[in-house]
Amino acid sequence: MNEKVLKKIIPAALSAAFVLGTLPSMAACAAPAAQVQAKTWDFSQSLENWKYAGKWAYKGKPTVTYAKNVGKGALQLNVDYTKTAEEGWSEVKLTDGSITEKTPLDLTGYNMVTFDFYYNPANKSKGAFKTKLYMKKPDGSDISACPDIDLSKAQDVGNGLKKVTVRVPFQAASVKIIDFEISIVGSST
């Protein structure tokens, strides 16, 4: 049985909240005899085409910067969820600007996005984090998923940070997408 994964590592630092690891990668995981294919976003030198894409029920002005010293390079997302701590959903969106109608991404065979999420537990006093994957098709329909980020599996990586690998399964489709977003959601955080 073959499994293809979009694997992206999102290294991001969320000020007063958490640091995200390298952005997700699209990778294909396969059975031992099969070949592994991958689509990987690499933040070792820069943010590539990743940028802030908007917010929903978030109060504040998030910023996106490059963090050379997190993992092997990371997207750093600076947010403060304290103004929406009583809300069950406060979302900050990130997008890969290289995926457009003119340069779509072929999802054929893929069914998983993974990324490393770095955060500072000292900056999180309550609530939980979730992630949202949103991929828009040319016809306007979308593929999306919104799992919890399981912080119980986080490992200490030094400098006050912890890291957890986030896996976001989605329904496989033979389609090209024209928008790819990953959101970090504060849930009563």
Side-chain angles (χ1 to χ4, degrees):
M1 176 178 156
N2 290 342
E3 177 184 75
K4 281 186 159 184
V5 178
L6 290 174
K7 184 181 179 190
K8 194 153 218 161
I9 300 176
I10 298 179
L14 302 181
S15 66
F18 57 102
V19 177
L20 299 178
T22 309
L23 268 173
S25 310
M26 203 193 284
C29 298
Q35 185 141 32
V36 175
Q37 302 170 347
K39 162 66 177 164
T40 302
W41 290 266
D42 177 12
F43 294 136
S44 62
Q45 302 296 316
S46 72
L47 295 178
E48 294 186 340
N49 291 299
W50 282 85
K51 60 187 177 182
Y52 170 73
K55 59 187 177 180
W56 189 87
Y58 175 81
K59 296 177 182 167
K61 187 175 180 181
T63 60
V64 175
T65 58
Y66 177 66
K68 185 177 184 173
N69 297 324
V70 175
K72 295 179 181 177
L75 178 152
Q76 180 169 314
L77 176 62
N78 298 297
V79 298
D80 180 354
Y81 287 114
T82 60
K83 294 176 185 174
T84 55
E86 302 307 315
E87 302 295 325
W89 192 276
S90 180
E91 176 181 354
V92 177
K93 304 172 185 184
L94 302 167
T95 190
D96 178 349
S98 71
I99 299 172
T100 67
E101 289 183 20
K102 290 183 180 180
T103 56
L105 176 64
D106 188 355
L107 284 186
T108 302
Y110 290 103
N111 63 357
M112 177 83 62
V113 171
T114 67
F115 64 91
D116 290 333
F117 177 79
Y118 294 82
Y119 69 100
N120 185 335
N123 293 335
K124 183 185 165 301
S125 59
K126 66 178 191 169
F129 293 118
K130 299 176 183 283
T131 191
K132 177 181 170 187
L133 172 65
Y134 172 84
M135 299 177 290
K136 184 177 176 182
K137 300 177 194 176
D139 67 3
S141 65
D142 66 79
I143 299 169
S144 61
C146 307
D148 293 341
I149 296 177
D150 185 359
L151 300 181
S152 71
K153 296 180 179 177
Q155 298 177 348
D156 189 336
V157 294
N159 295 327
L161 299 178
K162 290 195 172 194
K163 176 181 89 168
V164 63
T165 298
V166 178
R167 296 173 56 87
V168 185
F170 61 89
Q171 183 65 43
S174 294
V175 65
K176 291 183 179 181
I177 57 167
I178 59 172
D179 186 26
F180 184 93
E181 295 178 3
I182 293 187
S183 297
I184 302 303
V185 178
S187 178
S188 304
T189 304

